[in-house]
Amino acid sequence: MLKKICFLGLFIVITSCSSYNSIDTFYNAHKNDNQVTAVRVPQFMLSMISEISPEMKAMVGNTKDLRYMQFPSTTDTKTQFLNQQMNGITGNSFIEVFRKNDELKRNVVSVREKKNLVKEILIYNNDNQTGSFLYFNGDFDPVKVREMAKNEQFTKFGDNIISQFGASTPGINSQN
């Protein structure tokens, strides 16, 4: 009986620790950091984003949650820390579709599947100056996701999100 209780206790500790490594936790932990741009797109705005291009309409049409975050990564220590956090998020239940490592620089596209659908897509980029992630949650065609990753359309999509929100959203004026 004591073995069963110990096993149950260990299982609870392991599962509670693994839930820490989620996109929600990362987003909430860093959205208030200095020099961070964080965008979480509400459902009603997804239709506006879908007008960027036909490919984006096909992609965003099935999206339930869309987030983008850009953050400074100007030191090797900060870059390594961010890379480790993203590895923790994707390491458990995501499948890497694409990865390019160049010393501390990273380009990673990871997906989480359920049956014949891709349910989550996480694109992480870090050039040792700026890091970013683009996250989709919904129901996506795996063939289309692979094609978009191969053609670097996710990177272009992240840039389009920033330009869409940056141009029309009041911001912080850096002039003194």
Side-chain angles (χ1 to χ4, degrees):
M1 182 68 174
L2 185 60
K3 285 183 181 182
K4 287 181 183 180
I5 292 172
C6 288
F7 178 76
L8 182 60
L10 181 62
F11 177 75
I12 290 170
V13 168
I14 290 172
T15 56
S16 66
C17 291
S18 66
S19 66
Y20 176 78
N21 292 330
S22 72
I23 202 66
D24 280 331
T25 303
F26 183 89
Y27 187 87
N28 289 328
H30 295 288
K31 70 182 179 183
N32 292 316
D33 290 355
N34 190 30
Q35 298 179 339
V36 166
T37 301
V39 178
R40 186 167 187 183
V41 182
Q43 284 289 316
F44 74 92
M45 293 195 73
L46 288 171
S47 62
M48 292 172 47
I49 291 174
S50 69
E51 301 302 319
I52 293 172
S53 71
E55 294 84 11
M56 291 305 112
K57 184 171 185 143
M59 187 66 171
V60 173
N62 298 317
T63 301
K64 297 174 187 149
D65 186 10
L66 175 60
R67 302 178 203 197
Y68 178 81
M69 183 177 277
Q70 187 175 42
F71 34 83
S73 184
T74 55
T75 66
D76 286 352
T77 304
K78 179 77 171 185
T79 301
Q80 192 169 26
F81 172 73
L82 292 167
N83 289 348
Q84 288 173 348
Q85 285 196 319
M86 281 297 155
N87 285 340
I89 293 169
T90 61
N92 293 333
S93 57
F94 280 79
I95 299 167
E96 284 187 9
V97 177
F98 174 81
R99 174 180 279 269
K100 182 178 179 185
N101 296 337
D102 182 8
E103 295 184 18
L104 288 177
K105 297 177 185 177
R106 299 284 185 272
N107 297 95
V108 181
V109 178
S110 299
V111 299
R112 185 178 287 168
E113 297 177 314
K114 186 174 184 180
K115 297 186 181 182
N116 293 331
L117 291 175
V118 172
K119 299 301 273 181
E120 295 177 78
I121 305 166
L122 180 61
I123 299 93
Y124 172 65
N125 293 299
N126 195 322
D127 65 5
N128 212 18
Q129 293 297 312
T130 303
S132 67
F133 78 78
L134 179 60
Y135 171 78
F136 295 88
N137 184 328
D139 297 319
F140 311 104
D141 178 6
V143 175
K144 186 71 172 170
V145 170
R146 190 176 316 118
E147 180 183 312
M148 290 181 76
K150 182 180 175 185
N151 296 331
E152 297 183 11
Q153 288 177 299
F154 289 115
T155 303
K156 296 171 192 169
F157 186 71
D159 294 341
N160 284 332
I161 287 177
I162 289 299
S163 67
Q164 284 284 348
F165 281 92
S168 62
T169 306
I172 298 172
N173 187 352
S174 62
Q175 296 175 346
N176 291 332

